[in-house]
Amino acid sequence: AQTVTQSQPEMSVQEAETVTLSCTYDTSESDYYLFWYKQPPSRQMILVIRQEAYKQQNATENRFSVNFQKAAKSFSLKISDSQLGDAAMYFCAYRENSGGSNYKLTFGKGTLLTVNP
Amino acid sequence: GAGVSQSPSNKVTEKGKDVELRCDPISGHTALYWYRQRLGQGLEFLIYFQGNSAPDKSGLPSDRFSAERTGESVSTLTIQRTQQEDSAVYLCASSFSRGGFWYFGPGTRLTVT
């Protein structure tokens, strides 16, 4: 079974600084997606960034970028120039891209990010 | 509507009572998912609907939990004889198709006293 591990229950960063959130996963599949979701206190899950496993280039969305290491099964999220509005719970998630379970997202337990002014 | 909506936003119920949670997916989205989020935990898969196909109910934790969806419209998640361990946020998401990208609702926070 696929598992997603976020080893940092909590992280903090100073405003305008850079922070990296860690995520590792376990799968025997070669074709899959990885995601980072943000969940602010409003509870609304917001997709931050996604990475397709067959793409070697790391995904980037403005201040958010990932370091995808397929062999190591690692998928970290880097937030640059952190802003107060980045404070939230961040979830790493995995989904197969084909096969019988390609509809199911598997989530890590989350990392609570605090941004200090 | 523009997004996935869920109701109620918050629900407090007494142990042993039944509750019904509602999810309105984005129009045209054939796939619908229910997840449970307990305090300090990640999201646990509960059930998946895809069009008129038989749902994947493999994540439902007990026979007290059931869910219905008619076609590609509203879904309801029912919890009978609620227990304190049912206290959680229940999140619904929908996608245009199986394997498509997900849009989440704001969740229902259920508190069982």
Side-chain angles (χ1 to χ4, degrees):
Chain A
Q2 290 82 11
T3 58
V4 177
T5 302
Q6 293 179 250
S7 59
Q8 306 152 316
E10 297 183 27
M11 291 282 284
S12 64
V13 63
Q14 291 296 124
E15 197 175 3
E17 298 293 310
T18 296
V19 65
T20 299
L21 308 184
S22 300
C23 173
T24 58
Y25 58 95
D26 186 25
T27 183
S28 58
E29 301 294 325
S30 60
D31 187 13
Y32 51 86
Y33 281 102
L34 294 163
F35 306 85
W36 279 99
Y37 281 90
K38 169 184 177 181
Q39 187 182 43
S42 67
R43 300 198 305 253
Q44 184 76 54
M45 293 283 280
I46 301 164
L47 179 63
V48 175
I49 199 166
R50 62 177 177 255
Q51 174 82 40
E52 296 166 271
Y54 69 86
K55 288 187 176 179
Q56 293 187 341
Q57 186 173 5
N58 289 325
T60 299
E61 290 287 343
N62 300 313
R63 297 181 295 107
F64 298 87
S65 62
V66 298
N67 183 4
F68 173 47
Q69 301 290 328
K70 191 171 184 179
K73 297 180 182 174
S74 171
F75 183 61
S76 61
L77 175 69
K78 185 170 82 171
I79 307 174
S80 304
D81 185 25
S82 297
Q83 301 177 358
L84 294 177
D86 295 333
M89 183 72 85
Y90 286 81
F91 290 97
C92 179
Y94 164 98
R95 195 192 79 200
E96 290 179 21
N97 195 32
S98 61
S101 296
N102 73 332
Y103 56 83
K104 192 181 296 186
L105 275 173
T106 301
F107 289 86
K109 291 189 175 182
T111 296
L112 181 63
L113 178 66
T114 302
V115 181
N116 300 310
Chain B
V4 178
S5 60
Q6 292 186 246
S7 60
S9 178
N10 291 282
K11 176 71 176 179
V12 180
T13 190
E14 293 180 353
K15 178 180 173 181
K17 300 282 190 182
D18 297 353
V19 295
E20 189 173 278
L21 313 181
R22 176 186 169 108
C23 172
D24 282 87
I26 293 173
S27 178
H29 280 194
T30 62
L32 187 147
Y33 319 81
W34 282 99
Y35 274 70
R36 178 171 71 176
Q37 184 180 19
R38 289 169 159 167
L39 186 65
Q41 300 294 313
L43 279 71
E44 305 169 72
F45 169 76
L46 295 178
I47 189 168
Y48 159 71
F49 294 94
Q50 173 61 53
N52 294 315
S53 301
D56 176 358
K57 302 181 179 181
S58 61
L60 295 179
S62 77
D63 59 7
R64 297 186 296 105
F65 287 71
S66 63
E68 299 290 332
R69 187 186 188 199
T70 304
E72 298 177 1
S73 61
V74 170
S75 175
T76 55
L77 176 68
T78 301
I79 309 173
Q80 296 178 309
R81 306 181 302 282
T82 52
Q83 304 293 313
Q84 287 188 332
E85 63 261 28
D86 299 335
S87 295
V89 173
Y90 290 82
L91 288 165
C92 174
S94 70
S95 65
F96 182 71
S97 63
R98 174 189 175 118
F101 294 108
W102 293 25
Y103 297 83
F104 281 87
T108 294
R109 181 180 298 281
L110 175 66
T111 304
V112 182
T113 61

